[in-house]
């Protein structure tokens, strides 16, 4: 069995504490009320990811790369992120972020040490055209993306550890055994093999590694739940 691990991180609400890329950008553009209303509609199932993306295009016509950089650099990233990414690289493992948020924001995580970023494809700002709906991810695409990446690395699903916080992570958590709910909704916490509440990704990461270690020692039974607060 290959000892390498593929660590799969959600971004909004997981690596970004209590916020999303859309909210951070909206705060810089003075469009918070509109984005909060849009996110509430998304959470309620009134709009899907493609409808959300189309609405962003209409609201963000004045968006520039400088605003994106300001939003990214000023965002409340979870504590311990740099240390976790450095440890993953030091062990020869791989870190990937899979998010439905825009690629022009999420892609900047490569500069922090993330190996791969899979995100919704938007035209680069300032927008000259609307995003192609075919390039906007849906929750089920997280499974497809992870399967593609792990297959390219020669890894099975049991060599993957996923970290997420909400309903968009349900499809991935449903097919992986090593899953850590990070500051998550009750539904995802119930589905996950382990849970963490707090502002130190190093603790959630340690839980993920422990789940994998238990599986290697005790076989393929369901991992023991661990909850840290």
């Amino acid at each position: 069995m290959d000892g390498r691990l593929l660590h799969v991180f959600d971004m909004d609400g997981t690596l970004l504490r209590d916020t999303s890329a859309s909210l951070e950008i909206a705060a810089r553009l003075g469009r918070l009320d509109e984005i909060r209303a849009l996110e509430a509609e998304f959470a309620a199932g009134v709009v899907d990811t493609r409808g959300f993306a189309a609405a962003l295009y209409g609201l963000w016509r004045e968006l520039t790369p400088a605003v994106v950089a300001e939003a990214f650099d000023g965002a409340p990233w979870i504590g311990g992120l740099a240390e976790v990414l450095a440890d993953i690289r030091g062990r020869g493992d791989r870190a990937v972020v899979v998010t439905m948020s825009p690629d022009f924001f999420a892609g900047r995580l490569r500069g922090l040490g993330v190996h791969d970023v899979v995100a919704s494809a938007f035209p680069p700002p300032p927008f000259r055209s609307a995003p192609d709906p075919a390039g906007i991810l849906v929750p089920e695409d997280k499974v497809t993306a992870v399967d593609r990446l792990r297959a390219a690395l020669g890894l099975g699903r049991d060599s993957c550890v996923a970290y997420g916080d909400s309903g968009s992570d349900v499809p991935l958590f449903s097919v992986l055994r090593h899953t850590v709910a990070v500051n998550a909704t009750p539904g995802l916490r119930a589905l996950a093999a382990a849970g963490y509440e707090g502002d130190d990704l190093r603790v959630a990461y340690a839980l993920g590694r422990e789940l994998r270690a238990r599986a290697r020692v005790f076989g393929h039974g369901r991992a023991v739940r661990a909850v840290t607060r």
Side-chain angles (χ1 to χ4, degrees):
M1 182 183 295
D2 197 312
R4 293 179 300 161
L5 294 179
L6 177 63
H7 292 272
V8 184
F9 299 96
D10 172 59
M11 184 179 71
D12 295 340
T14 302
L15 299 185
L16 284 172
R17 282 296 316 274
D18 299 321
T19 188
S20 66
S22 298
L23 287 171
E24 292 303 303
I25 291 171
R28 272 72 183 177
L29 296 176
R31 310 302 294 265
L32 267 176
D33 288 344
E34 294 97 324
I35 297 300
R36 283 176 176 150
L38 187 59
E39 291 207 338
E41 290 180 346
F42 176 73
V46 176
V47 297
D48 61 10
T49 57
R50 293 178 175 126
F52 193 99
L56 290 184
Y57 169 71
L59 291 171
W60 289 356
R61 301 300 290 273
E62 68 270 37
L63 184 62
T64 65
V67 172
V68 175
E70 179 184 347
F72 184 92
D73 293 342
W77 298 99
I78 192 169
L81 175 58
E83 291 84 354
V84 166
L85 294 175
D87 190 75
I88 290 172
R89 283 185 171 271
R91 293 174 183 269
D93 293 341
R94 201 162 185 92
V96 58
V97 168
V98 185
T99 176
M100 294 180 293
S101 278
D103 54 357
F104 58 74
F105 184 98
R108 291 175 173 269
L109 284 164
R110 294 187 182 92
L112 301 184
V114 175
H115 292 90
D116 303 289
V117 176
V118 181
S120 290
F122 272 70
F127 298 146
R128 297 289 184 263
S129 62
D132 181 350
I136 305 303
L137 302 187
V138 298
E140 290 74 17
D141 289 328
K142 291 193 172 190
V143 177
T144 303
V146 170
D147 280 345
R148 183 178 66 249
L149 286 167
R150 66 166 184 80
L153 295 169
L155 300 175
R157 283 182 172 175
D158 276 354
S159 293
C160 300
V161 183
Y163 308 80
D165 76 300
S166 65
S168 68
D169 300 299
V170 167
L172 188 59
F173 275 45
S174 296
V175 300
L176 297 181
R177 288 200 307 130
H178 312 315
T179 55
V180 183
V182 180
N183 300 313
T185 61
L188 197 71
R189 285 200 301 268
L191 182 61
Y196 170 69
E197 302 285 332
D199 190 34
D200 192 340
L201 187 63
R202 291 170 293 187
V203 181
Y205 171 66
L207 288 173
R209 297 198 67 88
E210 180 183 354
L211 290 172
R212 167 62 169 159
R214 284 176 179 270
R216 287 173 67 87
V217 172
F218 299 113
H220 295 285
R222 182 169 177 81
V224 175
R225 174 174 299 278
V227 179
T228 302
R229 297 185 183 278

